[in-house]
Amino acid sequence: MDKITQISINSDRLHHRINTLAQIGQQPSGSICRLAFSPEDLEGRATVKQWMLEAGMTVSTDVAGNLIGRYQGKSPTAPALGTGSHIDTVPTGGCYDGALGVLAGIEVVHTLKNHNLQLHHPLEVIVFADEESTMIGAQAIAGTVLLDAPDRYQSKAGESIQGCLARVGGNWDNLATARRSRADLVAFVELHVEQGAILEQKGVSIGIVQGVVGMERLKITIIGKANHAGTTPMEMRQDALIAAAELILAVREIALKMPSQPVATVGYLNVLPNAVNIIPGQVELSVDMRDLSDNCLQEMLAQLHNKIILIAHSTNTTISTTPLLSVKPTLATPEIQYSIESVCKQLNLNYDYLPSRAGHDALEIGRITNMGMIFVPSQGGFSHSEAEYTSPEHCTQGANVLLQTLLLLDQSH
């Protein structure tokens, strides 16, 4: 490796910042509540902005509320290389989800500054607004925001998105101007904790993400007939819960039979009237399907609808579906995957390829430019809780892989 690839990040500085940010919004349980646009989020953003400035970046906030640190390149007119993630959390979040990607990005820039190095391209570290709920920050950059439907983006607390964006320096009315393209963002690489247990179980240090899965989410309503549990013969029942049970098993079976190994989940169930001595007359349930292949998702939906017809007939119930969410998958750019693999080999780190089955900002950014993701192990597969943990060693390895990948991409573009 030549001189520029001999450098490595400052592990102590990275972990000090991880621990410092974790104190903002920390709850008595040890979990972190730093909801987007909350006072805790604003405090976290101010802290991160200061670290960006210390790393030698100029800092701005776009109209979508994205906090963007920019480290100038030798060619200021060249399109930027991008990295980053988010710092907002779920109500009971952990220290690493999103935050690692942001802080590792800042550490990459700080390392370049300490070695008096500039890339050819400018390097941007982006803190995307509200990843855990609306994903408005990433969607605005990708141009996928529904500009005529602001009510779809209100906060968890029911606040209008217009007010939320104004609070962090954004502006809903000008949201379309946040859209970017390959002409000013040549590639984007996001470092993230896996949020699953695959890497840990395999004893692998680095995950090379093949892409971020698409999602199809439905609400299914089953209407039967509530009746007395003791006086209604079995053959005369219209039991909505029996139909739901068959449907739940069908969802599982559909996923298991698909060759690409998608996942499908029924995670919500509401039974009415939900009494011990009444035959269930109505059931509402959710179906969540995820895969890297949109063709697979559409085939699963088609099979599910066929099953619904059969189950409704056999149980004498009425079954209806309501689409809740449809997100197309985004594949990681092969060149970036190969660059990450090359870096892992140079650094003597074992690696494996895997899909991301959770949504990330990279899902949206990959719609407008070359995209890649680097995963590091999550102990026990835990995330979105106080149990979320990735070792300092793995965080450091991930940040160094990010650094070296960005250096490679700078040379190849």
Side-chain angles (χ1 to χ4, degrees):
M1 292 189 285
D2 59 26
K3 178 183 176 183
I4 195 170
T5 57
Q6 288 288 343
I7 63 175
S8 59
I9 64 101
N10 184 321
S11 179
D12 290 342
R13 185 169 56 203
L14 173 62
H15 296 292
H16 171 73
R17 288 173 174 170
I18 290 172
N19 293 332
T20 300
L21 185 61
Q23 295 171 22
I24 301 174
Q26 192 168 74
Q27 306 298 295
S29 66
S31 66
I32 299 168
C33 183
R34 200 164 53 235
L35 303 180
F37 311 115
S38 68
E40 294 79 13
D41 184 36
L42 268 63
E43 183 181 352
R45 290 165 67 97
T47 301
V48 167
K49 178 179 179 179
Q50 183 58 40
W51 290 333
M52 287 177 164
L53 292 170
E54 292 173 8
M57 289 182 267
T58 58
V59 186
S60 62
T61 301
D62 71 8
V63 294
N66 297 310
L67 183 67
I68 304 173
R70 185 178 175 95
Y71 185 68
Q72 199 57 274
K74 293 178 182 177
S75 175
T77 60
L81 290 167
T83 188
S85 194
H86 63 98
I87 65 167
D88 65 297
T89 72
V90 294
T92 56
C95 303
Y96 303 92
D97 175 12
L100 175 61
V102 169
L103 300 181
I106 295 173
E107 179 54 37
V108 165
V109 174
H110 212 148
T111 299
L112 294 174
K113 179 195 175 191
N114 286 350
H115 288 81
N116 296 311
L117 293 172
Q118 268 185 307
L119 303 184
H120 170 71
H121 297 80
L123 179 55
E124 291 188 357
V125 180
I126 306 173
V127 182
F128 293 97
D130 198 12
E131 190 270 355
E132 292 292 4
S133 181
T134 65
M135 292 193 75
I136 191 166
Q139 286 191 6
I141 289 177
T144 56
V145 171
L146 302 176
L147 296 173
D148 58 348
D151 291 347
R152 294 276 297 271
Y153 298 92
Q154 69 180 15
S155 75
K156 291 286 189 183
E159 297 176 279
S160 73
I161 192 61
Q162 294 95 327
C164 289
L165 288 180
R167 192 178 308 147
V168 298
N171 187 328
W172 172 271
D173 293 335
N174 295 328
L175 203 62
T177 64
R179 184 171 186 174
R180 304 182 70 176
S181 70
R182 194 182 304 269
D184 62 0
L185 193 63
V186 69
F188 178 82
V189 184
E190 181 173 357
L191 172 64
H192 208 283
V193 293
E194 182 195 348
Q195 300 180 280
I198 294 173
L199 295 178
E200 182 185 52
Q201 289 181 0
K202 290 186 173 183
V204 173
S205 298
I206 298 294
I208 303 173
V209 177
Q210 299 160 308
V212 185
V213 298
M215 289 177 271
E216 294 291 342
R217 195 171 293 167
L218 306 172
K219 181 179 81 170
I220 298 181
T221 303
I222 304 170
I223 304 295
K225 185 174 183 180
N227 213 332
H228 198 293
T231 62
T232 309
M234 299 299 286
E235 68 275 10
M236 295 177 64
R237 298 184 177 206
Q238 294 171 261
D239 191 327
L241 188 55
I242 291 295
E246 293 186 18
L247 188 54
I248 292 167
L249 292 175
V251 168
R252 179 177 183 272
E253 194 67 20
I254 289 169
L256 286 172
K257 288 183 176 180
M258 299 299 291
S260 61
Q261 297 183 316
V263 294
T265 306
V266 175
Y268 167 83
L269 201 68
N270 183 31
V271 181
L272 298 172
N274 203 24
V276 67
N277 59 349
I278 303 176
I279 299 165
Q282 180 173 326
V283 174
E284 293 178 348
L285 59 88
S286 65
V287 176
D288 182 298
M289 295 176 166
R290 306 185 186 207
D291 194 62
L292 273 181
S293 165
D294 189 54
N295 288 338
C296 172
L297 289 173
Q298 299 311 312
E299 173 62 23
M300 290 171 70
L301 284 175
Q303 290 188 29
L304 178 61
H305 286 298
N306 289 337
K307 282 287 188 180
I308 284 172
I309 293 170
L310 294 174
I311 292 169
H313 177 75
S314 66
T315 59
N316 198 21
T317 58
T318 301
I319 305 178
S320 60
T321 63
T322 304
L324 296 178
L325 180 70
S326 181
V327 177
K328 299 296 183 185
T330 302
L331 299 180
T333 305
E335 177 199 359
I336 298 181
Q337 294 183 61
Y338 301 149
S339 295
I340 298 168
E341 178 180 340
S342 175
V343 166
C344 289
K345 289 176 178 176
Q346 291 181 30
L347 297 179
N348 294 315
L349 296 172
N350 59 350
Y351 61 89
D352 198 6
Y353 283 84
L354 74 170
S356 170
R357 298 196 184 280
H360 298 290
D361 295 301
L363 172 76
E364 294 292 340
I365 303 307
R367 305 194 193 287
I368 60 163
T369 193
N370 296 336
M371 178 275 285
M373 288 193 74
I374 302 162
F375 275 175
V376 287
S378 296
Q379 184 172 289
F382 294 111
S383 187
H384 285 187
S385 78
E386 65 274 11
E388 181 179 280
Y389 180 75
T390 295
S391 72
E393 179 185 15
H394 283 138
C395 290
T396 298
Q397 289 171 347
N400 276 321
V401 171
L402 175 65
L403 167 62
Q404 300 298 336
T405 300
L406 290 169
L407 292 176
L408 273 183
L409 293 173
D410 183 58
Q411 295 167 8
S412 64
H413 284 79

